[in-house]
């Protein structure tokens, strides 16, 4: 189910485009990821688990193109955008062992859902700081090196 619903996220992202800006849909998809993950942890039925598993996949498919656009907007040289793919793969690779360690230490699968939701919330707060952290410096560098032409 999640593999069928997951690709609808990028499709919706393409339809919405810049109509609503990048920031609000990005934060909204992080909220959906957090709620979907916590909801998935609290299910006890296999069918409901499979259906709720599609919610974070859909939101991640929506989130990733939006955050790439946000990175390009605030860092025109593209270094952060190039690194984002590596960070996504790193997060997917480390998520399973970290989740296993949490379950082993706490004997509770519920804590994994809450940690995932908390990490999504922290990422929302970090997204608020992106323009302040890298935007102005990188734009000045790009203008000085004549790599980006502004209209």
């Amino acid at each position: 189910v999640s593999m069928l619903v997951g690709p609808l996220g990028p499709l919706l992202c393409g339809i919405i485009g810049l109509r609503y800006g990048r920031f609000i849909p990005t934060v909204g998809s992080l909220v959906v990821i957090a709620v979907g993950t916590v909801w998935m942890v609290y299910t006890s039925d296999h069918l409901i688990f499979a259906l709720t598993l599609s919610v974070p996949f859909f939101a991640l498919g929506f989130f990733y193109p939006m955050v790439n656009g946000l990175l390009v907007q605030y860092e025109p040289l593209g270094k952060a955008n190039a690194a984002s793919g590596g960070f996504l793969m790193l997060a997917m690779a480390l998520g399973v062992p970290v989740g296993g360690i949490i379950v082993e230490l706490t004997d509770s699968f519920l804590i994994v859902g809450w940690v995932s939701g908390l990490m999504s919330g922290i990422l929302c707060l970090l997204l608020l700081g992106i323009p302040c952290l890298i935007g102005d410096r990188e734009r000045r560098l790009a203008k000085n090196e004549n790599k980006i032409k502004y209209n």
Side-chain angles (χ1 to χ4, degrees):
V1 174
S2 62
M3 290 301 161
L4 296 175
V5 176
L8 295 177
L11 180 66
L12 182 64
C13 180
I15 292 171
I16 289 178
L18 297 177
R19 176 183 280 174
Y20 300 106
R22 288 186 184 108
F23 186 75
I24 292 175
T26 302
V27 171
S29 65
L30 282 173
V31 169
V32 170
I33 289 171
V35 169
T37 304
V38 172
W39 185 24
M40 184 174 46
V41 169
Y42 278 104
T43 61
S44 59
D45 185 43
H46 180 66
L47 178 64
I48 295 173
F49 177 80
L51 292 175
T52 56
L53 183 63
S54 63
V55 173
F57 275 119
F58 173 79
L60 182 65
F62 184 82
F63 168 76
Y64 196 65
M66 290 300 252
V67 82
N68 281 342
L70 194 66
L71 285 172
V72 168
Q73 179 182 351
Y74 289 120
E75 199 262 308
L77 294 180
K79 292 183 280 186
N81 202 4
S84 71
F87 287 122
L88 178 66
M89 293 299 133
L90 181 68
M92 288 183 176
L94 291 178
V96 174
V98 168
I101 290 170
I102 292 171
V103 169
E104 187 174 305
L105 292 175
T106 63
D107 290 331
S108 173
F109 189 65
L110 297 176
I111 302 294
V112 175
W114 284 106
V115 168
S116 297
L118 181 66
M119 290 298 125
S120 295
I122 290 171
L123 188 56
C124 282
L125 293 175
L126 288 176
L127 280 174
L128 292 173
I130 285 177
C132 299
L133 294 175
I134 62 173
D136 294 334
R137 178 180 171 271
E138 295 297 329
R139 284 186 187 178
R140 283 195 305 270
L141 285 173
K143 275 186 177 179
N144 290 339
E145 295 176 6
N146 292 324
K147 291 187 178 181
I148 304 287
K149 303 225 186 278
Y150 293 98
N151 295 334

